[in-house]
Amino acid sequence: MTHPLSDRINSLPVSQTLAMAAKARELRAEGKDIIGLSLGEPDFNTPDFIKDAAIEAINQNYNSYSPVDGYADLKEAICTKFKRDNDLVYKPSQVVVSTGAKQSIANIAQVLLNPGDEVLLPAPYWVSYSAIAILCEATYVEIPSSIETDFKITPEQLEASITPKTKMIFFNSPNNPSGTIYSEAEYRALAAVLEKHPQIFILSDEIYEHINYDTKPFSFAAIESMYDRTITVNGLAKAFAMTGWRIGYIGAPEWIAKACTKMQGQITSGTNCIAQRAAITAVLAPISKIQYMVDEFKTRRDIIIDLLREIDGFKVNVPEGAFYVFPDVSAFFGKTINGYKIETASDFSLFILERANVATVTGDAFGTPNCIRLSYAASELQIREAIKRIKEALS
């Protein structure tokens, strides 16, 4: 039976990361011992000092609708955070708090993009970027990269991708799925190209900024010529282990912030009041309060890289941030392993799930078809067992 759904929803792809997670749950329900390395979610609990702030807010009877763009004192705290961590000066009128950074990104796209506009997506890119562009009836244009360049694009590639229809470019550093971090010099070189094209707006997704291992990320809006054209997106989900609290926020030119508030006011209105009160404590906390999680992620990164390098056919680089590794597995394409024909990264990811009971995500979902993403937001025991299973399945 065909249901009368809109063209809009019928054009929208299913999130590959969520689809793989659902498939893993289905196999677990059948009694299979699936190790999940597919979801981008920290395996830590939210720190107690943040939970205590939420409890205090409940006891203070925060239970009413919140302002559409966020509590004033939270927006002040976010401005303090931007200056402290990113050397960015925003006023509260330039800040909008949303129900997760995904809503922040969707708001920005909805208020800036018209049908037929083009959005540049340096690949690999987070799966929802392309879907959000589709919802806006815009066209997304992938700018490819590879493991040989540490998944970074060049100024020459950027220049060649720009057309009269180009309206936005989405940057994400540290990157999901590759863990790549663009340096200040690399960002300035890309900005030099964008300076020649003043019609292009920049969305800088910095949700993983605090999960870095030697290289401090640089904010694109810190480039003076880019400040008035850049929307900085951040949130609490990753670094503070608060994925379910759903707090994202932006710093933007005031006219864009006002438009996002207008959009949000007709979709969800203000974000959860208790989560917002806890967010004040989180964004004002010194980074040292969450360093234990970053240190553990770095230990796991080093373990998973060493283990993957022992598998013939895996090409691995060293991610500088986030909690993913994104190996090139194209050496297996065209091969048949134990009766299973592998032609693509999607085939390889399904093979690993069915034969090794390990859930990963195909690089096809991220615009990089030679790779798969493995999350090391899992225990060391799970990581070691998962890579052991993969190695045995491929032998």
Side-chain angles (χ1 to χ4, degrees):
M1 178 181 176
T2 301
H3 298 288
L5 295 172
S6 68
D7 293 341
R8 184 181 304 105
I9 195 64
N10 285 330
S11 70
L12 196 65
V14 174
S15 167
Q16 290 288 333
T17 51
L18 298 181
M20 181 57 83
K23 179 68 172 174
R25 285 195 298 271
E26 184 181 305
L27 291 173
R28 285 194 192 99
E30 295 173 3
K32 294 188 177 180
D33 177 24
I34 305 296
I35 298 177
L37 301 183
S38 61
L39 271 182
E41 181 168 37
D43 59 325
F44 295 96
N45 292 322
T46 302
D48 286 342
F49 75 94
I50 299 173
K51 292 189 286 188
D52 289 342
I55 293 167
E56 179 63 21
I58 293 170
N59 290 334
Q60 291 178 354
N61 293 314
Y62 277 91
N63 51 36
S64 301
Y65 289 129
S66 63
V68 172
D69 55 347
Y71 285 120
D73 49 351
L74 173 55
K75 300 207 304 174
E76 289 278 6
I78 289 169
C79 291
T80 299
K81 172 260 176 290
F82 272 133
K83 179 59 180 173
R84 178 195 69 192
D85 297 340
N86 313 103
D87 199 25
L88 296 176
V89 177
Y90 288 115
K91 298 177 295 185
S93 58
Q94 295 176 272
V95 172
V96 180
V97 180
S98 300
T99 305
K102 183 181 286 190
Q103 184 181 26
S104 299
I105 295 166
N107 283 344
I108 295 159
Q110 289 285 351
V111 305
L112 286 178
L113 293 173
N114 286 311
D117 285 343
E118 291 180 354
V119 181
L120 301 181
L121 300 181
Y125 52 82
W126 181 45
V127 294
S128 290
Y129 291 164
S130 56
I132 287 169
I134 290 169
L135 276 175
C136 296
E137 299 180 65
T139 300
Y140 67 91
V141 178
E142 296 175 349
I143 307 178
S145 68
S146 68
I147 199 165
E148 284 77 20
T149 62
D150 279 330
F151 301 109
K152 296 176 181 180
I153 65 165
T154 65
E156 292 76 19
Q157 284 181 288
L158 175 57
E159 183 69 73
S161 301
I162 293 171
T163 76
K165 293 183 178 180
T166 306
K167 183 69 174 289
M168 292 187 75
I169 183 168
F170 287 16
F171 287 123
N172 175 213
S173 175
N175 177 263
N176 173 12
S178 69
T180 289
I181 296 178
Y182 279 88
S183 68
E184 177 178 350
E186 289 164 337
Y187 260 171
R188 288 190 179 278
L190 295 171
V193 174
L194 293 169
E195 285 171 358
K196 297 182 284 183
H197 303 276
Q199 81 280 10
I200 300 175
F201 291 89
I202 300 92
L203 186 150
S204 181
D205 181 353
E206 302 178 8
I207 190 73
Y208 291 93
E209 72 165 326
H210 293 315
I211 307 176
N212 64 82
Y213 310 119
D214 298 317
T215 304
K216 187 180 185 299
F218 177 77
S219 290
F220 203 85
I223 302 171
E224 186 175 353
S225 62
M226 294 291 108
Y227 178 82
D228 289 332
R229 295 161 52 190
T230 299
I231 306 95
T232 306
V233 178
N234 213 319
L236 305 182
K238 309 301 183 178
F240 294 90
M242 294 175 67
T243 50
W245 296 66
R246 310 311 299 136
I247 292 286
Y249 56 85
I250 66 168
E254 192 169 307
W255 62 274
I256 294 177
K258 285 182 177 178
C260 287
T261 300
K262 181 180 179 182
M263 171 64 67
Q264 188 163 292
Q266 298 293 357
I267 305 295
T268 59
S269 295
T271 303
N272 177 283
C273 59
I274 305 303
Q276 285 197 64
R277 304 314 297 172
I280 296 171
T281 296
V283 297
L284 292 178
I287 304 308
S288 58
K289 297 273 275 188
I290 56 171
Q291 189 60 42
Y292 68 95
M293 290 189 271
V294 179
D295 291 342
E296 179 61 24
F297 283 136
K298 184 177 182 180
T299 296
R300 296 173 185 178
R301 178 202 67 171
D302 294 344
I303 289 170
I304 198 169
I305 288 172
D306 287 345
L307 293 171
L308 288 173
R309 282 175 170 165
E310 294 175 2
I311 303 177
D312 289 339
F314 272 73
K315 190 183 295 183
V316 185
N317 71 330
V318 180
E320 298 172 295
F323 38 70
Y324 310 106
V325 62
F326 200 52
D328 185 312
V329 295
S330 59
F332 296 98
F333 297 174
K335 294 184 177 181
T336 300
I337 303 173
N338 297 323
Y340 197 109
K341 186 68 179 290
I342 296 172
E343 297 286 2
T344 65
S346 295
D347 292 341
F348 188 85
S349 190
L350 280 173
F351 170 79
I352 293 302
L353 179 62
E354 294 176 8
R355 301 297 174 89
N357 287 339
V358 176
T360 61
V361 185
T362 172
D364 291 316
F366 305 102
T368 307
N370 286 347
C371 300
I372 63 170
R373 189 190 79 174
L374 298 89
S375 167
Y376 48 88
S379 71
E380 179 180 336
L381 185 66
Q382 288 177 308
I383 291 169
R384 290 187 181 278
E385 175 62 21
I387 307 308
K388 174 174 171 285
R389 292 182 187 183
I390 293 172
K391 189 174 184 178
E392 289 174 350
L394 293 170
S395 63

